Amino acid sequence: MSTSEIATVLAWHEAVNSNDIDTLLELSSDDIVLPTDDDDADQGLDELREWATNSGVTLEPGRMFVHEGIVVVEERSTWGAEGTGAPLDEAIAFRVVDDKVVMVVRHNSLADAFEATGLTEADLYQA
């Protein structure tokens, strides 16, 4: 378990929530892979900048699970301008390499994220 990976993911959340695009880009790899609504993936810092600028998302991290560069976060996310959307409980899986987020994948539930990543409750991060 790596506190570096957790710190990277928490800083990434903070950058998203504060709309600090420069920090968000610094925390992300040049070829970051992002989810899209149409089940395809977008890739690269330009796509991340566009998503962060236009999504209006606020992410409230809950429990975090980590193993070998994979961090799964229970999330309460609010989408839309200034948090006008209904809060959504979901899980987001991050792949972190060399203190950079290289992949972000949204899941409908923690169980779905565990199934996709192979993580389990045993991988719970405790500070």
Side-chain angles (χ1 to χ4, degrees), residues 14 26 32 37 54 80 111 116:
E14 186 176 321
E26 288 173 16
I32 186 170
D37 292 334
N54 297 321

Side-chain angles (χ1 to χ4, degrees), residues 1 9 47 49 68 83 91 99 110 116:
M1 146 173 28
V9 169
E47 294 291 338
R49 177 185 283 109
E68 295 183 3
D99 298 325
L110 184 60

Side-chain angles (χ1 to χ4, degrees), residues 3-120:
T3 54
S4 176
E5 293 154 349
I6 295 293
T8 299
V9 169
L10 287 174
W12 201 90
H13 277 76
E14 186 176 321
V16 167
N17 291 341
S18 65
N19 202 29
D20 183 349
I21 304 302
D22 290 337
T23 298
L24 183 64
L25 297 177
E26 288 173 16
L27 292 166
S28 303
S29 71
D30 292 345
D31 58 351
I32 186 170
V33 177
L34 303 163
T36 63
D37 292 334
D38 58 9
D39 291 332
D40 290 328
D42 287 335
Q43 188 170 1
L45 293 177
D46 288 340
E47 294 291 338
L48 176 61
R49 177 185 283 109
E50 182 178 336
W51 172 82
T53 302
N54 297 321
S55 69
V57 68
T58 302
L59 301 172
E60 183 181 330
R63 296 186 307 161
M64 302 177 82
F65 303 83
V66 60
H67 185 76
E68 295 183 3
I70 304 291
V71 179
V72 170
V73 183
E74 283 184 309
E75 302 277 0
R76 170 150 286 192
S77 58
T78 306
W79 294 84
E82 299 178 21
T84 57
L88 175 66
D89 291 326
E90 61 184 352
I92 301 179
F94 295 84
R95 176 80 171 135
V96 179
V97 176
D98 297 329
D99 298 325
K100 301 270 187 182
V101 175
V102 299
M103 184 180 296
V104 180
V105 180
R106 291 175 59 199
H107 297 277
N108 291 328
S109 68
L110 184 60
D112 289 348
F114 282 169
E115 183 176 330
T117 63
L119 272 65
T120 69

